[in-house]
């Protein structure tokens, strides 16, 4: 076993993660020509797996990259990878690129064989500091491409905006698109709370259809909370009682400071606290159903 004890899956083989290698002629390496998914694991079982698989298949279809596995094979492969590691709670990263093409060309050759890579890490709980105090965010112009509904591996703009947030003393950035509407965070979806109601940007090509976002929408409806998909503006953010950023590995994070100004009273809000409780209960039920 490697020093890390981690095993990766690469093109049909389970191997020590530090021995995983791809060709430098892989189109994922040369062009960022690929898509990915991140899937949470609770009690050693894939959470919301079907929704993640459908989103992966949608990304593959939109980019005309061949799907390398059937649905059952995807689940079996990932479950075997999970079982090779000791952590009860994990998160899977999986990536599919268009494959190796020896002659570099923007136009892909026909019938390339996709490269499939996956590995898992321990999924640690959000720190008590964030739970108690929330995070800081800034707003930035969205410099990404126009198909953000595709979960593409070409994340350089996201990295640049995350770095810009760090340079300004913030934890993350909320992106304002070319129409002046709130899109999402650098790696998360956005919710605001106003007068007790939940609001989130509409699904479409300018945001990723978040799985955690969908879970929260369902929880809100289940517990009688008003929730609306609508266009949001910078003014809506500035006037919000609460702001959240949601993702598969962090659930919902409360933003308590935006552009150096407190959000609401500057503390994680009561609606977020309710949703956080409902989400934890959902995860516990999921784990209990498996035992």
């Amino acid at each position: 076993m490697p020093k890390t004890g981690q095993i990766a899956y690469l093109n049909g083989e389970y191997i020590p993660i530090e021995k995983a290698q791809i060709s430098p002629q892989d189109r994922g390496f040369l062009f960022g020509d690929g898509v990915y998914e991140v899937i949470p694991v609770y009690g050693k079982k894939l959470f919301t797996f079907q929704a993640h698989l459908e989103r992966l298949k949608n990304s593959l279809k939109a980019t005309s990259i061949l799907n390398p596995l059937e649905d059952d094979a995807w689940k079996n492969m990932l479950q075997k990878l999970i079982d090779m590691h000791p952590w009860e709670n994990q998160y899977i990263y999986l990536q599919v690129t268009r494959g190796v093409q020896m002659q570099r060309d923007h136009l892909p050759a026909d019938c390339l064989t996709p490269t499939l890579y996956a590995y898992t890490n321990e999924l640690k709980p959000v720190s008590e500091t964030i739970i108690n105090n929330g995070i800081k965010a800034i707003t930035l112009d969205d410099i990404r491409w126009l198909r953000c509904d595709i979960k593409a591996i070409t994340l350089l703009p996201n990295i640049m905006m995350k770095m810009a947030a760090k340079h300004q003393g913030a934890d993350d950035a909320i992106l304002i698109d070319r129409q002046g509407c709130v899109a999402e965070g650098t790696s998360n979806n956005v919710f605001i709370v106003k007068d007790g109601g939940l609001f989130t940007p509409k699904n479409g090509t300018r945001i990723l259809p978040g799985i955690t976002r969908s879970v929260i929408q369902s929880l809100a409806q289940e517990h009688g909370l008003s929730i609306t998909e609508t266009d949001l503006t910078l003014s809506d953010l500035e006037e919000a009682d609460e702001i959240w950023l949601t993702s598969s590995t962090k659930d919902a994070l409360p933003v308590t400071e935006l552009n150096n100004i407190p959000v609401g009273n500057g503390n994680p809000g009561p609606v977020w606290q309710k949703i956080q409780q409902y989400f934890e209960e959902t995860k516990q039920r999921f784990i209990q159903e498996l035992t």
Side-chain angles (χ1 to χ4, degrees):
M1 289 288 288
K3 292 180 181 180
T4 62
Q6 284 183 268
I7 301 296
Y9 176 93
L10 179 61
N11 294 335
E13 294 186 272
Y14 297 89
I15 54 177
I17 195 168
E18 64 266 31
K19 294 185 178 180
Q21 298 180 357
I22 64 165
S23 167
Q25 296 305 117
D26 192 288
R27 289 183 61 89
F29 179 73
L30 292 176
F31 293 104
D33 187 0
V35 301
Y36 75 104
E37 273 293 328
V38 178
I39 309 175
V41 173
Y42 300 114
K44 286 208 164 185
K45 296 297 180 183
L46 293 154
F47 183 67
T48 57
F49 171 69
Q50 197 59 43
H52 281 279
L53 180 61
E54 290 304 314
R55 188 172 66 180
L56 173 65
K57 289 158 67 174
N58 288 340
S59 293
L60 291 168
K61 182 178 179 181
T63 53
S64 299
I65 296 174
L66 293 175
N67 186 343
L69 296 176
E70 298 292 332
D71 290 7
D72 287 345
W74 272 112
K75 188 169 186 177
N76 292 338
M77 179 271 286
L78 294 175
Q79 189 61 56
K80 183 174 180 180
L81 188 60
I82 291 165
D83 292 338
M84 288 179 168
H85 296 85
W87 315 300
E88 287 296 310
N89 297 336
Q90 308 177 27
Y91 66 93
I92 292 280
Y93 176 89
L94 66 90
Q95 175 174 300
V96 183
T97 74
R98 202 176 302 274
V100 175
Q101 184 170 349
M102 298 312 295
Q103 180 64 43
R104 185 183 183 277
D105 194 325
H106 282 71
L107 183 65
D110 294 332
C111 300
L112 294 177
T113 300
T115 298
L116 170 53
Y117 175 66
Y119 72 97
T120 184
N121 271 322
E122 182 179 12
L123 179 56
K124 297 180 180 180
V126 175
S127 73
E128 287 298 319
T129 299
I130 290 176
I131 294 294
N132 294 329
N133 302 310
I135 64 172
K136 300 177 182 180
I138 60 172
T139 54
L140 292 173
D141 289 339
D142 192 348
I143 60 173
R144 302 171 302 163
W145 70 327
L146 299 178
R147 288 301 307 273
C148 294
D149 56 312
I150 298 171
K151 200 167 176 67
I153 63 174
T154 42
L155 295 174
L156 181 58
N158 305 63
I159 292 167
M160 293 169 63
M161 291 183 290
K162 187 84 169 182
M163 291 171 62
K166 181 181 179 181
H167 291 160
Q168 294 188 42
D171 301 292
D172 212 329
I174 296 175
L175 313 180
I176 309 298
D177 70 16
R178 294 160 179 82
Q179 286 73 46
C181 293
V182 175
E184 53 192 350
T186 59
S187 59
N188 31 50
N189 292 116
V190 177
F191 286 83
I192 71 166
V193 177
K194 183 66 177 176
D195 298 327
L198 267 175
F199 300 86
T200 189
K202 298 175 184 177
N203 266 335
T205 58
R206 62 192 176 92
I207 73 167
L208 185 73
I211 308 304
T212 299
R213 173 180 180 272
S214 294
V215 172
I216 287 175
Q217 287 175 300
S218 296
L219 288 173
Q221 293 168 351
E222 179 184 336
H223 291 88
L225 295 173
S226 168
I227 184 161
T228 305
E229 287 193 15
T230 186
D231 290 335
L232 299 173
T233 65
L234 177 58
S235 294
D236 292 318
L237 291 176
E238 293 171 340
E239 296 169 5
D241 300 319
E242 301 180 31
I243 301 173
W244 315 340
L245 297 179
T246 65
S247 67
S248 290
T249 58
K250 299 290 194 300
D251 299 345
L253 296 182
V255 177
T256 51
E257 183 179 298
L258 181 70
N259 294 330
N260 299 312
I261 297 173
V263 176
N265 63 8
N267 296 305
V271 182
W272 172 80
Q273 291 171 355
K274 288 181 181 178
I275 287 291
Q276 184 74 359
Q277 177 186 341
Y278 300 151
F279 210 127
E280 286 300 321
E281 291 171 354
T282 297
K283 289 189 286 188
Q284 289 306 313
R285 284 196 303 270
F286 173 74
I287 292 171
Q288 290 168 8
E289 288 169 0
L290 302 173
T291 58

